[in-house]
Amino acid sequence: MISLNSHEIIQLIASFLWPLTRLLGFIAIAPPFGNNGVPVQVKLSLGIFLALIVAPTLELPTEIDMLSLTGILILTQQLIIGLAMGFIVRVIFAGVEMAGEVAGLTMGLGFASFYDPQRFLKLHSSYRFLLLLRCSSPILRLAF
Protein backbone atom coordinates (compact mmCIF):
# COMPACT_ATOMS: atom_id res chain seq x y z
CA MET A 1 0.00 0.00 0.00
CA ILE A 2 1.21 3.48 -0.82
CA SER A 3 1.58 5.79 2.12
CA LEU A 4 2.15 9.50 1.67
CA ASN A 5 2.49 12.08 4.37
CA SER A 6 1.30 15.67 4.01
CA HIS A 7 4.77 16.98 3.10
CA GLU A 8 5.05 14.56 0.16
CA ILE A 9 1.55 15.44 -1.06
CA ILE A 10 2.36 19.16 -0.97
CA GLN A 11 5.58 18.48 -2.91
CA LEU A 12 3.67 16.51 -5.56
CA ILE A 13 1.15 19.32 -5.93
CA ALA A 14 3.91 21.93 -6.12
CA SER A 15 5.83 19.92 -8.71
CA PHE A 16 2.68 19.97 -10.86
CA LEU A 17 1.34 23.45 -10.05
CA TRP A 18 4.44 25.53 -10.82
CA PRO A 19 4.98 24.14 -14.36
CA LEU A 20 1.22 24.30 -14.94
CA THR A 21 1.20 27.99 -14.04
CA ARG A 22 4.04 28.76 -16.45
CA LEU A 23 2.45 26.75 -19.25
CA LEU A 24 -0.98 28.31 -18.76
CA GLY A 25 0.60 31.78 -18.86
CA PHE A 26 2.29 30.86 -22.12
CA ILE A 27 -0.84 29.36 -23.66
CA ALA A 28 -2.92 32.38 -22.66
CA ILE A 29 -0.76 34.76 -24.71
CA ALA A 30 0.90 32.68 -27.48
CA PRO A 31 -0.64 33.22 -30.95
CA PRO A 32 -2.01 29.78 -31.81
CA PHE A 33 -4.01 29.59 -28.58
CA GLY A 34 -4.08 33.16 -27.29
CA ASN A 35 -7.11 34.32 -29.25
CA ASN A 36 -10.79 34.15 -28.43
CA GLY A 37 -11.45 31.44 -31.03
CA VAL A 38 -9.91 28.74 -28.82
CA PRO A 39 -12.17 27.71 -25.94
CA VAL A 40 -10.87 28.01 -22.39
CA GLN A 41 -11.42 24.28 -21.83
CA VAL A 42 -9.02 23.46 -24.68
CA LYS A 43 -6.39 25.83 -23.31
CA LEU A 44 -6.74 24.41 -19.80
CA SER A 45 -6.66 20.77 -20.91
CA LEU A 46 -3.60 21.41 -23.10
CA GLY A 47 -1.83 23.08 -20.17
CA ILE A 48 -2.66 20.21 -17.81
CA PHE A 49 -1.54 17.64 -20.38
CA LEU A 50 1.77 19.40 -20.98
CA ALA A 51 2.32 19.91 -17.25
CA LEU A 52 1.78 16.19 -16.64
CA ILE A 53 4.48 15.49 -19.22
CA VAL A 54 6.95 18.11 -17.98
CA ALA A 55 6.50 17.84 -14.19
CA PRO A 56 8.28 14.49 -13.63
CA THR A 57 11.41 15.75 -15.40
CA LEU A 58 11.89 18.82 -13.17
CA GLU A 59 13.86 19.06 -9.96
CA LEU A 60 12.13 21.35 -7.50
CA PRO A 61 13.47 22.64 -4.20
CA THR A 62 12.10 20.47 -1.41
CA GLU A 63 12.31 22.98 1.42
CA ILE A 64 9.85 25.54 -0.03
CA ASP A 65 6.28 25.34 1.20
CA MET A 66 3.71 26.06 -1.49
CA LEU A 67 1.44 28.03 0.82
CA SER A 68 4.14 30.28 2.26
CA LEU A 69 5.01 33.73 0.95
CA THR A 70 7.99 32.28 -0.90
CA GLY A 71 5.80 29.66 -2.59
CA ILE A 72 3.27 32.28 -3.70
CA LEU A 73 6.08 34.48 -5.02
CA ILE A 74 7.47 31.53 -6.98
CA LEU A 75 3.98 30.90 -8.37
CA THR A 76 3.72 34.55 -9.42
CA GLN A 77 7.21 34.37 -10.93
CA GLN A 78 6.22 31.30 -12.98
CA LEU A 79 3.12 33.09 -14.26
CA ILE A 80 5.14 36.16 -15.27
CA ILE A 81 7.74 33.99 -17.03
CA GLY A 82 5.01 32.14 -18.95
CA LEU A 83 3.33 35.40 -19.96
CA ALA A 84 6.68 36.81 -21.08
CA MET A 85 7.43 33.72 -23.19
CA GLY A 86 4.00 33.96 -24.82
CA PHE A 87 4.55 37.66 -25.48
CA ILE A 88 7.88 36.91 -27.16
CA VAL A 89 6.19 34.38 -29.45
CA ARG A 90 3.48 36.95 -30.20
CA VAL A 91 6.15 39.53 -31.11
CA ILE A 92 7.84 37.03 -33.46
CA PHE A 93 4.53 36.36 -35.19
CA ALA A 94 3.88 40.10 -35.41
CA GLY A 95 7.29 40.49 -37.10
CA VAL A 96 6.33 37.88 -39.69
CA GLU A 97 3.02 39.68 -40.18
CA MET A 98 4.79 43.01 -40.61
CA ALA A 99 7.22 41.51 -43.13
CA GLY A 100 4.26 40.18 -45.10
CA GLU A 101 2.54 43.54 -45.00
CA VAL A 102 5.66 45.38 -46.21
CA ALA A 103 6.36 42.80 -48.92
CA GLY A 104 2.75 42.94 -50.07
CA LEU A 105 2.70 46.72 -50.24
CA THR A 106 6.00 46.94 -52.13
CA MET A 107 4.87 44.31 -54.66
CA GLY A 108 1.61 46.10 -55.27
CA LEU A 109 -0.54 43.50 -53.58
CA GLY A 110 -2.31 46.06 -51.43
CA PHE A 111 -5.56 45.29 -53.18
CA ALA A 112 -5.31 41.54 -52.50
CA SER A 113 -6.28 41.49 -48.85
CA PHE A 114 -8.57 39.35 -46.76
CA TYR A 115 -10.32 39.68 -43.44
CA ASP A 116 -8.86 37.81 -40.46
CA PRO A 117 -11.71 37.09 -38.01
CA GLN A 118 -9.36 36.19 -35.14
CA ARG A 119 -7.64 39.57 -35.08
CA PHE A 120 -10.39 41.62 -36.73
CA LEU A 121 -7.91 42.94 -39.31
CA LYS A 122 -7.49 43.05 -43.07
CA LEU A 123 -4.25 41.30 -44.02
CA HIS A 124 -2.41 41.01 -47.33
CA SER A 125 -1.99 37.70 -49.11
CA SER A 126 1.80 37.85 -48.87
CA TYR A 127 1.49 37.67 -45.07
CA ARG A 128 -0.26 34.32 -45.38
CA PHE A 129 2.51 33.09 -47.67
CA LEU A 130 5.29 34.16 -45.27
CA LEU A 131 3.45 32.66 -42.31
CA LEU A 132 3.06 29.38 -44.19
CA LEU A 133 6.77 29.37 -45.02
CA ARG A 134 7.72 30.25 -41.46
CA CYS A 135 5.62 27.48 -39.95
CA SER A 136 6.67 24.79 -42.41
CA SER A 137 10.40 25.30 -42.83
CA PRO A 138 12.85 24.78 -39.94
CA ILE A 139 15.45 27.01 -41.59
CA LEU A 140 13.01 29.88 -41.96
CA ARG A 141 11.94 29.46 -38.34
CA LEU A 142 15.43 30.54 -37.36
CA ALA A 143 15.45 33.41 -39.86
CA PHE A 144 12.26 35.00 -38.56
Side-chain angles (χ1 to χ4, degrees):
M1 184 165 144
I2 299 175
S3 62
L4 296 173
N5 59 17
S6 63
H7 181 69
E8 291 172 346
I9 292 173
I10 289 175
Q11 285 305 113
L12 285 174
I13 292 172
S15 70
F16 175 72
L17 186 66
W18 289 338
L20 176 67
T21 305
R22 183 184 287 198
L23 287 168
L24 287 179
F26 176 76
I27 290 171
I29 301 291
F33 302 104
N35 57 24
N36 294 335
V38 180
V40 176
Q41 293 88 357
V42 172
K43 295 176 188 179
L44 189 61
S45 61
L46 178 66
I48 290 172
F49 177 71
L50 290 175
L52 285 173
I53 292 172
V54 171
T57 64
L58 299 176
E59 292 182 23
L60 297 174
T62 57
E63 66 275 353
I64 296 176
D65 186 17
M66 205 174 65
L67 300 176
S68 68
L69 180 63
T70 307
I72 293 172
L73 288 175
I74 289 175
L75 188 71
T76 307
Q77 176 192 26
Q78 295 300 315
L79 180 64
I80 290 171
I81 290 171
L83 291 172
M85 289 175 12
F87 181 71
I88 289 170
V89 171
R90 185 171 289 272
V91 166
I92 291 170
F93 272 76
V96 172
E97 181 179 338
M98 184 67 182
E101 292 285 329
V102 169
L105 288 174
T106 57
M107 291 189 308
L109 294 176
F111 62 89
S113 62
F114 66 96
Y115 181 71
D116 186 7
Q118 292 179 350
R119 285 188 227 115
F120 305 109
L121 297 172
K122 287 180 69 174
L123 300 173
H124 297 287
S125 58
S126 56
Y127 162 70
R128 294 284 281 183
F129 178 69
L130 281 177
L131 186 64
L132 179 68
L133 282 178
R134 191 233 171 257
C135 291
S136 63
S137 172
I139 295 171
L140 287 177
R141 284 185 200 159
L142 297 175
F144 289 113

